[in-house]
Amino acid sequence: MCAMARPRKPLLSTDRIVDTARALVDAEGLAAVSTRRLAAELGVSGPSLYNHFRTKDQILEAVADSVSGQVDLSMFEDGRDWRTALHDWAVSYRTALRDHPNIVPVLARGPGRRPAALRLADAVYGAMVRAGWPPAQATSIGALMRYFVMGSALGSFAGGFVDDRTAYDPADYPHLGQAHLLAEHQEKIDERAFETGLTALLDGLERQFQRLGRGPQGPF
C-alpha cells in the first residue's frame, strides 16, 4: 500500500508575503513588521524571504502599493465629468486609507517607484488634462487631492475627544460643553466633515475651471 503524501506547505510568494505583512501592519502597526516576525507568521525560514524582498523597507513599500491598488480608477475612463470623477475617486481613495490607516505614513512619502501609486497619479493627471485643465493646474490638483485625502486618513477629529464631561470644564472651554459626546458619533461626524471639505474643494476648483487660460501652461 502506498504511503500517503505529506501535506505540502503553501508556496512562498510575493503576494503571500505582502498579504501577511499588510495584516500585521493593520493589526499592530509598522513596527510589528520584521523579517523574523514575517517568517514565523508564514511558517518559513527567515532567509527565504530574501528571495522576494531584501529589506523591511521594501516589504512596507509593497504593502503601501497594495493599498494604492485598492483605489478605484474606473471613474477616469467611463465618461464621468472631471468633478464627479474627482469626487468618486477621493471617496474610494479615502476608503482604502481608512481601512489601512497604519500604512498611511509610508504612502505619504509619495509614489516613488511603486507601480499602483504611479498608475493612480497618472490616471488623475491624465484625466484632468483631458478635461481641459492646463498641465500645471492638473499637477496641482493631483497634489492637493492627495493632501486632503491623506490628511483625512491620519486620524479622527471626533475620536480625538475623550468621553468624559469633566475634561471640558465650561469655565475653561465655554463652547465645548458637548465635546465629550463627539467620540460616540465619530463615524458620522468624520464622514460629514470629509464630504463638507471635499465639496468646498471641488466648488473652488469649479470656479477656477471657469477662469482657465490665465495660469501657467507648462506641467509645473
Side-chain angles (χ1 to χ4, degrees):
M1 185 171 61
C2 296
M4 294 181 63
R6 294 180 180 178
R8 297 178 61 187
K9 290 183 178 179
L11 291 175
L12 189 61
S13 67
T14 298
D15 287 345
R16 196 169 158 238
I17 295 170
V18 171
D19 289 347
T20 302
R22 186 174 59 242
L24 273 178
V25 172
D26 288 345
E28 302 179 33
L30 297 173
V33 177
S34 68
T35 53
R36 178 177 296 181
R37 177 71 184 278
L38 276 175
E41 294 286 334
L42 291 161
V44 299
S45 63
S48 64
L49 295 177
Y50 296 119
N51 294 323
H52 301 271
F53 297 101
R54 292 193 300 274
T55 66
K56 171 183 172 176
D57 282 346
Q58 285 187 347
I59 295 170
L60 292 178
E61 286 286 307
V63 170
D65 210 39
S66 73
V67 173
S68 294
Q70 295 175 13
V71 181
D72 184 14
L73 300 177
S74 64
M75 65 284 296
F76 297 120
E77 301 292 342
D78 63 9
R80 274 173 262 191
D81 63 270
W82 69 265
R83 176 179 175 136
T84 302
L86 272 184
H87 175 277
D88 296 348
W89 168 71
V91 171
S92 178
Y93 194 7
R94 180 171 179 262
T95 297
L97 300 190
R98 185 186 60 198
D99 290 345
H100 307 282
N102 291 335
I103 199 65
V104 172
V106 180
L107 287 163
R109 299 172 190 167
R113 299 175 183 271
R114 300 194 297 267
L118 289 170
R119 285 193 292 271
L120 187 155
D122 183 71
V124 175
Y125 177 80
M128 295 306 101
V129 171
R130 289 196 303 274
W133 285 96
Q137 287 168 288
T139 299
S140 296
I141 290 170
L144 73 89
M145 294 297 289
R146 180 170 168 269
Y147 300 152
F148 176 71
V149 176
M150 284 202 176
S152 75
L154 285 174
S156 164
F157 171 81
F161 294 84
V162 297
D163 183 14
D164 179 1
R165 183 189 293 271
T166 64
Y168 309 106
D169 189 330
D172 297 320
Y173 315 107
H175 305 296
L176 296 181
Q178 302 295 307
H180 65 288
L181 300 175
L182 289 172
E184 180 183 348
H185 304 284
Q186 175 179 330
E187 183 174 352
K188 179 176 70 175
I189 292 169
D190 290 347
E191 288 291 335
R192 187 173 63 216
F194 179 77
E195 280 293 339
T196 298
L198 183 56
T199 297
L201 188 156
L202 293 172
D203 284 347
L205 288 177
E206 187 84 57
R207 288 192 292 273
Q208 288 187 34
F209 192 67
Q210 295 169 3
R211 301 194 301 269
L212 283 180
R214 302 180 187 178
Q217 299 301 305
F220 310 116

